[in-house]
Amino acid sequence: MPMERTLIIVKPDGVQRGLTGEIIRRFEARGLRIIGMKFMQVSTELAEKHYAIHRERPFFAGLVKYITSSPVVVMALEGTNAIAAARGTIGSTKPHEAAAGTIRGDFALEVGRNLVHGSDSVENGQIEVGNFFTEAELHPGWSRNTDPWIFE
Ligand code: IDP
Ligand code: MG
């Protein structure tokens, strides 16, 4: 099966609340392979680019303020079905509607404090990883000894 890439962001609330490790753990346990990871402050310019599709929405200004308010942890993850799998692990956008067992369903209550971002399509996964990581920061070539037990 083809590998997909997804950009995961542990948003400022996740980092501030000490949930970074718990969130990373869930994606690792799911079987997704980390190919890039860093701790960073998102600039207003990068936030506006990342969330450009929401530019006309009433919550846009608040969203940019939220994601730039404090440092985040960004990850590039790779795997078969990575987009859908990661979105499933994250849970619905509105945390009060997210299923228990998902990150948002277990740890969040409000849409404007929903802890984590995950790319929503194969195309956007590629674009978003490229927006947040340079080629030198990515390590797509490495393999895990467990890969044959996760990828058929
Ligand atoms: P997603 O993060 O589940 O993909 P999107 O619809 O792409 O959800 O929205 C991007 C982000 O914008 C959400 O994760 C959330 O932080 C924020 N957001 C979405 N809808 C609202 C809203 O109605 N009010 C406030 N913030 C919102
Ligand atoms: Mg989205």
Side-chain angles (χ1 to χ4, degrees), residues 11 51 54 59 63 66 87 93 104 111 114:
K11 295 179 179 181
Y51 283 127
H54 298 302
F59 58 82
L63 177 57
Y66 165 44
R87 299 275 297 180
T93 302
R104 288 169 173 166
V111 67
N114 64 3

